[in-house]
Amino acid sequence: MSKRFIGQSVKRFEDPRFIKGQGRYVANIDMPGMTYMAILRSPYAHAKINNIDTSAAEAMDGVVGVLTGQDLVDGGCGPLPCGWNVPDIKVPTRLAMTTDKARHVGDSIAAVVAETPYIAADALEAIVVDYEILDASVNARNTTEDSAVQIHDDVPNNISYTWALGDQDGTKAALEAADHVIELDLINQRLIPNAMEPRAAVAQWDATRGDMTLWTTSQNPHPIRLLLSAFTLGIPEHKLRVISPDVGGGFGSKIFHYPEEIIVPFAARAFNRPVKWVATRSESFMTDSQGRDHVTNCKLGVNNDGTFTSLYVSTWSDQGAYISTFAPLIPTAFYICLLSGLYKIPNIWGEMWGTLTNTVPVDAYRGAGRPEASYLVERLVNEAARQLNMDAIEIRRKNFIAEDEFPYQTPVALAYDSGNYSGLFDKLESLSGYSDLKTMQAEARANGKLIGIGVCGCIEASGPAPSKVAGALGSAVGFWESSKMRVHPSGKVSLYTGSHSHGQGHETAFAQIVADELGIPMADVEIIHGDTGEIPFGMGTYGSRSASVGGSAIVKSAEKVRAKMMKIAAHQLEAAEEDMVFDRDEGGVYVKGSPDKRLSFFELSLGAYTAHNLPDDMEPGMEETSFYDPANFTYPNSAHIAVVEIDANTGEVDLQGYYAVDDVGNVINPMLVEGQIVGGIAQGIGQALYENGVYSDDGALLSGSFMDYAMPKAMHFPAIHVDRQETPSPHNPLGVKGAGEMGTIASTVATANAVMDALAPLGIGHLEMPLTASKIHSAIAAHAGQL
Amino acid sequence: MDVSVSMTVNGVEHSHAVEPRTLLVHYLRDTLGLTGTNIGCDTSQCGACTVHIDGDAAKSCTVLAVQADGCAVTTIEGIGNGSLHPMQQAFWDEHGLQCGYCTPGMIMASIDLLNRNADPSRAEIRHGLEGNICRCTGYQNIVNAVASAAKEMAGADA
């Protein structure tokens, strides 16, 4: 196959509008008659609502109207559904605006629509709510105790669901038989995604036609339309258009169906005016679904030679006050199914409890379950190496699934498609100068310095998902992707994809695929995404699925276009169809052995539309649609090293070096892949060292702004060195694997392992993230006090 | 009661009556329709709204429109004179952006950084951008872009 563009670092087509300040973000949409919504949020984590008095607000000049939860219920709005129903799950009722109780700080109570944003904000102050404050529950594990307050009447002990996988008895027996058992109690702390663009929604109602258009900051507008139509808003799917134009980052947080996507169009219809709502950052902190928040006990059975025999994991996963759209997927199939890591571990048991607390709902956040799995596996492996006095890479090599053992069936359901983990670590040792690092560390330690080298090797299951598998695991939807390839009469191509770009660069990478598949210039290709009015259907972008699922759907449509063009060429050139060759370099079709006897891409495109000379049984036109359902997940994998020095006097961590080798299969655009990897690494380091979503015991969100939540800044990072290995995925036509999340999955534990390695000579065991200077300083001081 | 405010924005003089509490960023976006300046937070941390006021970088969410009365304001729409400013070009060339939301503020802050220090080290670039948050890139290519623009602009001056 000819590849003129795939594999090239083509500069992004989308950049000119962003660098000129011409991004088409939802907050930038304006139209005549626009009104502005502000939403009253509960200041209490748990409070009974006795009364809501909106009369003073409604009487204010410039206020168009005020809506409460009851207005929405009376208007036919239904509760927000859960899209991933594991067996016996209890999904508590979640309304767009609550009517009975506030269950987390930020729970929506009432919405004001006004002529200006400032009037809307003023009117919120005039709404009087009679709250009866209740005790709050904020800990994933303690919330299940009988003494904990009951958050929803129909979810006893605040346990929404439980899930388990593996061989419990076999794993227990193997742990007993192992030479060593490494046990850790870990907290994978609450994170707040913080895409730089706050969520926003604009709705326009056409009363005469009964058509609603909703612009929303979503990673997947089609599923949002489906949920709005079938469950929450009730406007039929064919009368509702959902558009997600430029979206300023998502990281998972913009996958989910949010209350404002219901309230804003409801108000636009109720008041017959366009309505705009744009979250403040404070609202983002208390309403965007958050990430992680696991309390875990885990045990790894290891023999004297370093061989892993067994892994037993118990996790309490905080789901927040309600079950967000895909929340139950994250700590089940995206977590327990990943517990085998890069290793042959014969016995695995994973069990979890999905619990409710008076906190913001938790759902997928970059990596989504897989970083939590990698964190515990790779912390255990490092702890095993330390206790057995083995090198951190040596113990991993002893347990790798070998290159010739793929496909590899793990004991936790997944069948890994391909990989070469020892090759990956060969590259990592070379990139990082591992043996020199070890020498440097030994010398520095001899001089009393606290230097740590943090190694990790991580697996990801990306590109969700075979729809049958997803359905069996509880999904309410399929996870294929669509593409519609419209070849215009002039030979230019509009490609409509169901994937959604919110920073990934699809307009460039997908154009590279189309241009290569059809043998045309990239400038002749336009990628269209994010509009249910234009795209047949699409499942959107998350789980590192766009290249492997969305890209494959593009390849499938291109195959159909080529086949039709070859039929037309055979007919017009009066040659056998099997003698037609599609020219992937120049475009067009020629007769095998006679490259001069040919029709150009333009001639074939035009010919399909003039229809003057087509085979008798052929329909005119040149437009092909494909729905691609992946045969399996893809399995990106990575080997990372972080190098830190800790100042023993202050506890401050100086991240001195970072080295990453990732295998994401074939690469469409190396520049984009490297951008994803480096950006992901930075985000994961944020979890390890800085970020922490903190609630007080009464449920107040203490880290509710950028003043209190430590977002990583440019000065926090050294140069990040990346390399890659390309082991093609055998089951998709591009041979690609996911690239969006691997950096994040690996860098958190690599950095944490580096800090623990630095502190190991002091006899300090495990510390919880974020590994802040004060926490480390306290640990050093406490340890010194013990000596 | 509204107050009148006049300022030059991207070389064009504007006068409007605004509510006294109107933030400069809202004046730019909502009154003048210059939506290139984004809003990323409400506590002056993220820098998405960075513009230049009389040549110095300022977070326009932290300035009242009336405070900019009589000033010359430059936004992302006002740099480059019809072509790309070297900093814009460098962000494109070095893949210094992904979702693009922090980009206008980041570019305005970076231009200010070079105005103060035409030949910064990488560490100085990283510290110089501490008032601007990017969630996508990990900053590496932003640092590369600023370093590259510094070279380009030094060459243009020579």
Side-chain angles (χ1 to χ4, degrees):
Chain A
M1 167 182 161
S2 161
K3 286 183 179 169
R4 297 170 304 140
F5 300 110
I6 289 178
Q8 306 294 319
S9 288
V10 177
K11 275 168 55 181
R12 298 206 319 172
F13 284 4
E14 42 274 86
D15 282 2
R17 67 176 185 269
F18 293 128
I19 57 179
K20 291 176 186 170
Q22 303 297 322
R24 300 169 295 195
Y25 301 104
V26 173
N28 296 349
I29 293 168
D30 196 15
M31 60 187 73
M34 185 72 91
T35 63
Y36 302 86
M37 179 178 286
I39 295 174
L40 185 67
R41 311 280 180 188
S42 172
Y44 304 111
H46 200 192
K48 189 162 174 284
I49 297 168
N50 290 324
N51 187 46
I52 305 170
D53 182 355
T54 62
S55 55
E58 282 172 299
M60 288 172 65
D61 281 349
V63 170
V64 175
V66 181
L67 297 169
T68 63
Q70 195 58 50
D71 293 326
L72 268 63
V73 171
D74 294 345
C77 293
L80 286 87
C82 170
W84 197 279
N85 293 297
V86 296
D88 301 322
I89 186 172
K90 296 180 188 73
V91 178
T93 301
R94 182 188 190 188
L95 298 176
M97 290 194 282
T98 188
T99 53
D100 56 345
K101 283 207 296 188
R103 292 180 178 83
H104 66 86
V105 168
D107 214 351
S108 7
I109 309 290
V112 171
V113 176
E115 298 292 347
T116 75
Y118 287 20
I119 296 172
D122 287 346
L124 287 190
E125 306 285 325
I127 298 174
V128 181
V129 183
D130 177 4
Y131 291 107
E132 186 178 325
I133 300 167
L134 306 170
D135 287 342
S137 178
V138 296
N139 178 281
R141 188 167 181 175
N142 301 343
T143 195
T144 64
E145 290 168 5
D146 288 338
S147 57
V149 67
Q150 184 75 22
I151 299 169
H152 294 271
D153 293 341
D154 49 355
V155 187
N157 292 100
N158 298 322
I159 300 174
S160 172
Y161 60 95
T162 65
W163 204 80
L165 189 65
D167 177 358
Q168 186 172 26
D169 293 339
T171 304
K172 275 184 181 164
L175 277 174
E176 273 181 31
D179 293 334
H180 307 267
V181 175
I182 314 295
E183 180 170 5
L184 286 174
D185 282 301
L186 304 171
I187 291 174
N188 204 298
Q189 83 269 32
R190 177 78 64 112
L191 297 179
I192 299 176
N194 280 321
M196 290 317 297
E197 178 204 29
R199 287 190 299 111
V202 172
Q204 185 179 34
W205 170 244
D206 181 335
T208 49
R209 294 173 58 91
D211 287 346
M212 180 72 76
T213 304
L214 171 69
W215 290 261
T216 179
T217 50
S218 177
Q219 301 176 213
N220 32 239
H222 284 89
I224 298 303
R225 183 184 60 165
L226 175 56
L227 293 172
L228 281 165
S229 294
F231 298 98
T232 55
L233 183 63
I235 292 176
E237 216 169 354
H238 65 299
K239 304 297 278 180
L240 176 60
R241 180 176 181 184
V242 178
I243 302 172
S244 297
D246 286 328
V247 172
F251 314 108
S253 71
K254 291 171 181 169
I255 298 171
F256 322 116
H257 187 23
Y258 282 101
E260 296 81 5
E261 290 167 333
I262 304 158
I263 307 169
V264 171
F266 185 92
R269 186 177 53 182
F271 304 123
N272 199 18
R273 296 275 300 272
V275 178
K276 180 195 275 195
W277 167 80
V278 181
T280 63
R281 178 60 57 185
S282 300
E283 281 182 290
S284 303
F285 268 97
M286 58 176 127
T287 66
D288 291 4
S289 286
Q290 301 180 348
R292 317 278 194 262
D293 208 338
H294 284 192
V295 176
T296 292
N297 173 268
C298 51
K299 301 183 194 83
L300 180 70
V302 190
N303 282 340
N304 286 326
D305 66 351
T307 312
F308 307 150
T309 68
S310 43
L311 175 64
Y312 196 108
V313 176
S314 308
T315 291
W316 288 262
S317 168
D318 193 335
Q319 305 287 289
Y322 303 100
I323 298 294
S324 176
T325 315
F326 286 113
L329 159 64
I330 313 310
T332 59
F334 269 6
Y335 172 65
I336 290 176
C337 293
L338 277 296
L339 289 176
S340 198
L342 303 180
Y343 314 111
K344 287 178 283 191
I345 308 176
N347 304 281
I348 300 179
W349 170 253
E351 60 187 2
M352 62 76 59
W353 290 263
T355 65
L356 299 172
T357 61
N358 293 111
T359 62
V360 176
V362 175
D363 207 321
Y365 168 61
R366 200 171 195 171
R370 294 152 294 179
E372 295 92 312
S374 281
Y375 181 65
L376 78 87
V377 171
E378 292 300 288
R379 283 293 301 123
L380 284 168
V381 168
N382 256 41
E383 196 55 24
R386 193 174 71 80
Q387 292 190 23
L388 271 62
N389 204 21
M390 288 178 74
D391 175 77
I393 293 183
E394 181 195 354
I395 196 171
R396 286 177 167 84
R397 287 187 185 276
K398 223 173 218 331
N399 291 281
F400 282 155
I401 299 157
E403 195 183 357
D404 59 5
E405 290 174 311
F406 293 95
Y408 176 79
Q409 178 63 54
T410 72
V412 277
L414 297 180
Y416 297 171
D417 62 350
S418 61
N420 173 9
Y421 305 149
S422 55
L424 201 66
F425 272 78
D426 291 345
K427 284 197 154 198
L428 180 66
E429 292 198 34
S430 157
L431 177 72
S432 63
Y434 186 62
S435 60
D436 292 345
L437 281 177
K438 297 283 280 188
T439 307
M440 177 275 289
Q441 180 184 41
E443 287 168 3
R445 278 183 173 169
N447 293 324
K449 285 188 169 181
L450 300 177
I451 297 278
I453 302 172
V455 174
C456 76
C458 301
I459 188 76
E460 178 188 1
S462 69
S467 296
K468 272 185 195 167
V469 173
L473 288 167
S475 175
V477 293
F479 282 99
W480 41 263
E481 194 47 270
S482 79
S483 81
K484 180 172 76 178
M485 187 171 283
R486 177 174 294 160
V487 182
H488 300 282
S490 57
K492 312 296 181 191
V493 176
S494 296
L495 186 283
Y496 300 82
T497 174
S499 299
H500 185 276
S501 184
H502 29 281
Q504 291 83 350
H506 295 167
E507 290 169 39
T508 310
F510 285 178
Q512 290 177 260
I513 297 173
V514 173
D516 266 4
E517 289 291 320
L518 298 182
I520 59 176
M522 279 185 70
D524 288 358
V525 183
E526 178 83 1
I527 305 295
I528 294 123
H529 64 93
D531 184 348
T532 66
E534 298 210 59
I535 291 126
F537 202 94
M539 293 311 299
T541 287
Y542 40 78
S544 304
R545 69 192 301 273
S546 295
S548 62
V549 189
S552 296
I554 295 171
V555 172
K556 293 293 170 193
S557 287
E559 285 171 0
K560 293 178 186 174
V561 164
R562 289 202 304 268
K564 185 165 183 178
M565 285 193 164
M566 289 199 283
K567 272 193 171 49
I568 295 172
H571 174 74
Q572 295 189 357
L573 295 171
E574 297 178 343
E577 203 180 316
E578 53 270 25
D579 288 337
M580 295 297 106
V581 180
F582 194 96
D583 187 339
R584 303 270 290 266
D585 289 320
E586 301 289 329
V589 178
Y590 60 87
V591 180
K592 197 187 292 176
S594 310
D596 294 343
K597 207 175 169 192
R598 66 187 296 143
L599 289 166
S600 70
F601 191 81
F602 165 70
E603 288 168 323
L604 290 162
S605 306
L606 187 63
Y609 285 91
T610 63
H612 295 163
N613 187 12
L614 296 179
D616 288 341
D617 57 350
M618 181 181 280
E619 292 179 15
M622 191 60 76
E623 179 167 309
E624 298 290 351
T625 299
S626 298
F627 290 76
Y628 175 83
D629 203 345
N632 192 355
F633 292 93
T634 67
Y635 296 90
N637 47 86
S638 64
H640 289 201
I641 283 180
V643 182
V644 302
E645 178 170 358
I646 293 173
D647 183 329
N649 294 315
T650 64
E652 195 166 349
V653 177
D654 179 15
L655 181 60
Q656 298 188 326
Y658 200 95
Y659 306 90
V661 183
D662 289 79
D663 190 336
V664 298
N666 291 340
V667 166
I668 295 166
N669 184 322
M671 178 189 79
L672 296 183
V673 166
E674 196 173 303
Q676 287 291 318
I677 300 280
V678 171
I681 287 169
Q683 216 160 349
I685 292 170
Q687 172 168 20
L689 298 181
Y690 307 110
E691 298 177 40
N692 199 10
V694 185
Y695 292 87
S696 66
D697 287 344
D698 60 359
L701 177 57
L702 300 179
S703 53
S705 79
F706 286 151
M707 292 190 289
D708 322 292
Y709 187 87
M711 291 284 279
K713 309 272 185 74
M715 63 197 176
H716 291 133
F717 300 104
I720 295 169
H721 303 277
V722 299
D723 192 5
R724 65 177 185 273
Q725 173 177 274
E726 296 186 19
T727 310
S729 171
H731 60 76
N732 67 60
L734 292 162
V736 295
K737 304 176 183 179
E741 295 169 290
M742 201 66 248
T744 308
I745 290 166
S747 66
T748 300
V749 68
T751 307
N753 278 345
V755 171
M756 296 312 153
D757 188 51
L759 297 174
L762 302 180
I764 295 171
H766 178 75
L767 297 177
E768 303 291 5
M769 301 183 292
L771 297 158
T772 59
S774 69
K775 192 178 291 175
I776 292 169
H777 182 259
S778 299
I780 292 173
H783 177 80
Q786 286 164 10
L787 289 178
Chain B
M1 195 163 89
D2 287 355
V3 295
S4 91
V5 59
S6 301
M7 67 184 85
T8 305
V9 180
N10 301 332
V12 180
E13 283 185 33
H14 294 277
S15 285
H16 288 93
V18 299
E19 279 194 66
R21 61 179 169 170
T22 304
L23 297 174
L24 177 60
V25 69
H26 290 150
Y27 178 72
L28 295 171
R29 288 177 53 85
D30 301 337
T31 306
L32 303 186
L34 295 169
T35 54
T37 302
N38 292 321
I39 301 172
C41 75
D42 41 17
T43 52
S44 301
Q45 253 84 35
C46 84
C49 65
T50 304
V51 299
H52 294 176
I53 301 178
D54 290 339
D56 292 329
K59 293 179 176 178
S60 60
C61 74
T62 315
V63 178
L64 295 167
V66 294
Q67 289 177 290
D69 188 50
C71 293
V73 175
T74 307
T75 71
I76 188 72
E77 291 96 339
I79 59 172
N81 293 323
S83 58
L84 292 180
H85 185 283
M87 190 64 75
Q88 291 172 308
Q89 186 68 47
F91 268 69
W92 190 8
D93 292 344
E94 298 291 337
H95 188 32
L97 61 148
Q98 289 180 25
C99 83
Y101 198 79
C102 77
T103 308
M106 198 67 83
I107 287 174
M108 298 308 285
S110 298
I111 293 172
D112 180 71
L113 192 160
L114 293 191
N115 286 345
R116 292 162 191 276
N117 178 0
D119 185 23
S121 68
R122 283 179 180 261
E124 286 171 332
I125 296 171
R126 288 183 181 274
H127 280 273
L129 294 176
E130 72 173 323
N132 291 70
I133 301 176
C134 169
R135 195 53 149 169
C136 295
T137 64
Y139 302 99
Q140 186 147 305
N141 287 345
I142 292 175
V143 175
N144 291 340
V146 177
S148 154
K151 258 190 203 164
E152 177 68 26
M153 288 160 75
D157 291 344

